[in-house]
Amino acid sequence: MKNYKHYRLIILFCLCFLAVANVNAQSDWQLTAKENESLSPFLFDDDMILEGKISYENSCTSCHGMPGQADYTPMAPSPGDPASDQFQLQSDGALFHKIKTGRGTMPKFEDVFADDETWNLVAFIRSFNENYKQPVPDLGGIEIPEYSMKLAFDENIDKLVVKVFAKELPQSDVSVSAFVKGSFGKYLIGKAQTDELGIAYVDVDPTLPGDAEGKLDIMVKVTKGYGLAKMNANMIMAKPTVRKSAIEGRHIWSNDKNAPIWLKVSFFITIFGVWLVLFFIVIGLRGINKANKEEE
Amino acid sequence: MSKANKNDNSRRNFLQKLGIAGASAVAGSALLLQGCNNSNKASGNKVKVLTADNKLVEVDVAHLQPGDKIKDLEYLQDRGREGIPGKKFVMVVDLAKCKNARKCMKACQSAHQLKPEMHHINVLEMDDPVRHTSYYMPKPCQHCDNPPCVSVCPVDATFKRQDGIVLIDNERCIGCRFCVAACPYSARSFNWTEPKDAEEFAEVTYDMELNVPQKKGTVTKCAFSADRLRVGKLPYCVSACPNGVYYFGDANEDLVTNGTTKKTVRLSALLDENAAYTLMPELGTKPSVYYLPPRQSKG
């Protein structure tokens, strides 16, 4: 009996502790000013958002649900919907550090995601805010360059040649990545850096199948710091392939629509021929029968 | 006497029905005429539209009507038979990654109006007699390039399209189940009872690419989510998988995309490097679904 009382006391104590912990957890989530003000070293683009979406679906949906649908798990404190003002009014730095450090039931993701992956998550969360404009740090007078590029394909060495300009001057040390646009996603052909002439060479696999002329739909992305440019092109750079229909020609399972005319004609001639012979015999037999009757 | 009565009844019934039909025809045509009259009233607001033969014409706003092609059965039937030109859809299933989460099955069943016991894709537990373990194998329709089901169909209800997808037209299906018997992969199931939520889907126009609404007494099977492919999306099962089991893509492009990680890889390289195989190759059915073998377990 005494022991039983003991247990009750312990349980009561635990409950009190949990309540206090909960109140603590609901107090403001303080970050240092420096953490609050930190900004992404990358410009948020569609690729970052897509990467962020994949990480989000794997690690965050179980509590936060899908952003914008308010289908988060009912817990105390509430995890909240990342598309809501509660999240969107926070600074990028605050979101970044809160994901990184965690608190209470929110796990610490510092060891799970590298910094760039965490920024992908922030980019994904921000993609639900139409009014959001990504703040860029003071670059000390340096302008973010606007890149343009020229594309060519050198068929002798099977390389895609990308020349990158900013204000008509060739740019060196710019990262170039080239993709083939497939039906459901982008296939990375290769990455390269521009040399001092602003030219980058990307290896292209000559066995890649193109269309009937060997054309491929490609997308080239150039980045350096906050500078970013994309270009779509349709270029002859792959093996010409004739795209055959899966039902072309005749198969054991083809229906009569695919049958050749000679077969249809000979089929009907045979059928009508057999019927004609049958009629001829029946009429002949009738004639004999009639003649037989007349004789009698 | 009773027979005469019956005859009399049926004649009366016939005349009655004829009367009703005639009356409704008159009323219907009157309504139609009225409709035409209404639409002839011009509002004065003109808009420029492009016709199918690339001519710019000016039309009164009142004459415009929303195009509801998607509700037009004939349009859907033609589209379903035609397929998507220049494509050859393939699926690659990485057995090493399947953990029997069964999200693919759920997504499929909710999209295709299937009862829990009916499957377009089914995750099976397979015995590995060599390693004395078991592994999970998702099994959809194999969309064979030499489909036995299509050869046996007496009414051309199941057919293969130019993009390699084998579909069923349940408007034509007579429920003979020859195809169910012919399929070596048991990929087909039969609607023995009224399908799930039959009342809810009663008004929906039949789309053979989705095979919804399902019909009692017809056969149903995986359609590679042809309705999703048309809009450039991955099939329901492929996008629902949390474990990166499925790759889906176009064999003509030689590219397949993973439904979970969205990573796009070369189909030929993926198949070569992972010793891919197809189910029952000895039958010569040439499936469009490839399997990557399960990982060697070290237990």
Side-chain angles (χ1 to χ4, degrees):
Chain A
M1 193 65 203
K2 216 177 181 182
N3 265 343
Y4 180 66
K5 237 179 191 172
H6 245 82
Y7 278 128
R8 284 177 81 174
L9 260 175
I10 290 169
I11 287 169
L12 193 72
F13 178 76
C14 285
L15 281 176
C16 284
F17 177 78
L18 277 176
V20 169
N22 201 13
V23 167
N24 264 339
Q26 273 173 351
S27 66
D28 280 347
W29 192 345
Q30 296 292 344
L31 294 170
T32 63
K34 200 185 159 200
E35 284 174 339
N36 256 325
E37 283 160 15
S38 56
L39 294 170
S40 160
F42 316 101
L43 207 60
F44 297 161
D45 64 358
D46 296 346
D47 295 325
M48 280 185 78
I49 293 172
L50 183 68
E51 295 274 320
K53 184 177 179 226
I54 294 159
S55 307
Y56 184 92
E57 281 172 354
N58 285 332
S59 306
C60 317
T61 343
S62 54
C63 293
H64 291 284
M66 269 320 277
Q69 298 185 3
D71 54 353
Y72 48 82
T73 316
M75 292 197 288
S78 160
D81 184 341
S84 66
D85 281 352
Q86 187 197 351
F87 281 71
Q88 297 294 346
L89 292 179
Q90 299 183 38
S91 70
D92 286 355
L95 290 175
F96 175 79
H97 284 283
K98 284 178 181 179
I99 295 170
K100 226 175 147 175
T101 52
R103 183 190 61 156
T105 39
M106 166 81 184
K108 172 172 115 175
F109 283 100
E110 198 170 9
D111 310 325
V112 182
F113 298 128
D115 278 4
D116 59 327
E117 288 173 312
T118 313
W119 283 118
N120 289 344
L121 277 170
V122 177
F124 174 67
I125 292 168
R126 289 301 192 199
S127 71
F128 291 90
N129 186 351
E130 281 174 17
N131 304 323
Y132 173 76
K133 203 173 172 303
Q134 190 184 351
V136 171
D138 183 17
L139 298 169
I142 302 167
E143 268 183 60
I144 297 171
E146 275 188 24
Y147 292 123
S148 60
M149 62 190 113
K150 278 183 185 168
L151 306 179
F153 179 68
D154 190 336
E155 56 183 8
N156 298 319
I157 47 171
D158 281 325
K159 277 182 203 288
L160 177 69
V161 187
V162 184
K163 189 161 187 184
V164 183
F165 301 92
K167 290 180 181 166
E168 295 182 6
L169 289 171
Q171 299 290 309
S172 61
D173 292 325
V174 181
S175 310
V176 175
S177 32
F179 303 87
V180 177
K181 287 201 273 186
S183 302
F184 305 103
K186 295 194 299 280
Y187 170 67
L188 179 69
I189 308 173
K191 286 182 176 179
Q193 294 266 327
T194 54
D195 56 17
E196 58 275 15
L197 297 170
I199 300 174
Y201 298 94
V202 182
D203 279 324
V204 178
D205 185 347
T207 61
L208 260 171
D211 62 5
E213 296 166 51
K215 279 188 175 175
L216 272 182
D217 265 332
I218 58 162
M219 198 272 277
V220 179
K221 195 169 108 178
V222 294
T223 49
K224 188 181 180 184
Y226 283 97
L228 170 93
K230 284 180 188 174
M231 190 172 167
N232 293 311
N234 186 257
M235 291 169 68
I236 297 182
M237 55 191 289
K239 202 172 69 177
T241 29
V242 181
R243 303 204 164 173
K244 266 195 357 192
S245 152
I247 50 172
E248 216 175 87
R250 293 187 62 215
H251 311 273
I252 196 165
W253 46 269
S254 319
N255 51 22
D256 55 355
K257 272 183 221 152
N258 298 32
I261 291 170
W262 68 263
L263 187 66
K264 283 183 193 173
V265 170
S266 50
F267 172 77
F268 284 113
I269 286 176
T270 318
I271 295 285
F272 284 120
V274 169
W275 275 108
L276 271 177
V277 170
L278 286 176
F279 276 123
F280 182 74
I281 293 170
V282 168
I283 290 166
L285 283 174
R286 267 186 70 186
I288 293 168
N289 208 11
K290 226 178 176 179
N292 202 16
K293 267 182 187 167
E294 271 171 18
E295 225 168 82
E296 280 170 4
Chain B
M1 163 75 191
S2 68
K3 205 177 178 186
N5 252 348
K6 249 185 201 165
N7 278 342
D8 203 64
N9 267 344
S10 70
R11 194 183 302 123
R12 243 177 234 163
N13 274 341
F14 172 69
L15 287 173
Q16 250 172 13
K17 275 176 191 162
L18 193 72
I20 289 168
S24 53
V26 169
S29 48
L31 269 174
L32 271 176
L33 278 175
Q34 208 183 359
C36 289
N37 283 342
N38 273 346
S39 64
N40 280 340
K41 276 179 201 156
S43 69
N45 287 334
K46 301 253 180 187
V47 284
K48 278 180 182 166
V49 291
L50 200 63
T51 60
D53 47 344
N54 280 333
K55 277 178 191 156
L56 205 61
V57 287
E58 218 167 51
V59 189
D60 198 278
V61 176
H63 295 171
L64 292 178
Q65 275 182 351
D68 236 353
K69 272 188 165 175
I70 216 72
K71 283 185 186 159
D72 178 15
L73 179 67
E74 204 176 322
Y75 167 73
L76 288 176
Q77 294 289 90
D78 288 349
R79 188 179 83 165
R81 287 263 164 186
E82 179 67 26
I84 306 163
K87 304 272 179 189
K88 170 75 178 73
F89 293 110
V90 286
M91 182 188 263
V92 183
V93 183
D94 189 351
L95 296 176
K97 292 194 188 128
C98 184
K99 293 175 193 157
N100 198 22
R102 295 171 103 80
K103 298 272 185 202
C104 50
M105 290 167 65
K106 265 192 199 147
C108 174
Q109 284 172 329
S110 63
H112 295 293
Q113 199 199 343
L114 294 175
K115 286 183 174 172
E117 70 275 14
M118 287 174 76
H119 309 287
H120 283 187
I121 184 165
N122 197 359
V123 182
L124 306 169
E125 189 175 1
M126 307 293 285
D127 269 335
D128 187 337
V130 182
R131 291 182 214 141
H132 304 289
T133 54
S134 68
Y135 61 92
Y136 294 102
M137 185 182 86
K139 189 211 63 189
C141 166
Q142 308 287 306
H143 294 273
C144 309
D145 284 347
N146 188 9
C149 50
V150 173
S151 353
V152 298
C153 183
V155 291
D156 193 25
T158 188
F159 58 95
K160 193 170 175 71
R161 313 200 302 187
Q162 57 173 324
D163 50 13
I165 300 179
V166 177
L167 282 187
I168 298 173
D169 177 1
N170 80 13
E171 292 276 310
R172 285 187 82 105
C173 179
I174 53 170
C176 69
R177 284 165 280 136
F178 283 6
C179 53
V180 178
C183 177
Y185 304 103
S186 305
R188 290 170 170 252
S189 37
F190 187 68
N191 278 306
W192 288 102
T193 55
E194 281 297 340
K196 190 180 86 177
D197 304 331
E199 302 87 27
E200 212 175 290
F201 286 90
E203 296 299 311
V204 179
T205 314
Y206 174 64
D207 180 5
M208 63 167 92
E209 294 193 335
L210 185 62
N211 208 26
V212 162
Q214 298 274 358
K215 211 188 277 175
K216 181 183 170 181
T218 61
V219 173
T220 182
K221 71 161 195 80
C222 158
F224 259 2
S225 302
D227 58 314
R228 299 252 297 183
L229 304 180
R230 190 168 281 286
V231 292
K233 283 184 182 169
L234 291 166
Y236 297 103
C237 50
V238 173
S239 6
C241 177
N243 296 323
V245 175
Y246 300 102
Y247 292 85
F248 195 89
D250 181 2
N252 284 337
E253 285 173 352
D254 199 25
L255 298 176
V256 282
T257 305
N258 190 298
T260 314
T261 62
K262 306 284 187 290
K263 197 179 170 196
T264 304
V265 293
R266 289 286 291 276
L267 172 70
S268 49
L270 185 73
L271 298 184
D272 286 351
E273 285 163 15
N274 294 287
Y277 65 94
T278 56
L279 297 181
M280 302 189 198
E282 67 278 9
L283 298 178
T285 50
K286 297 184 198 152
S288 301
V289 179
Y290 297 89
Y291 286 90
L292 309 183
R295 195 168 292 141
Q296 183 108 41
S297 78
K298 287 179 184 153

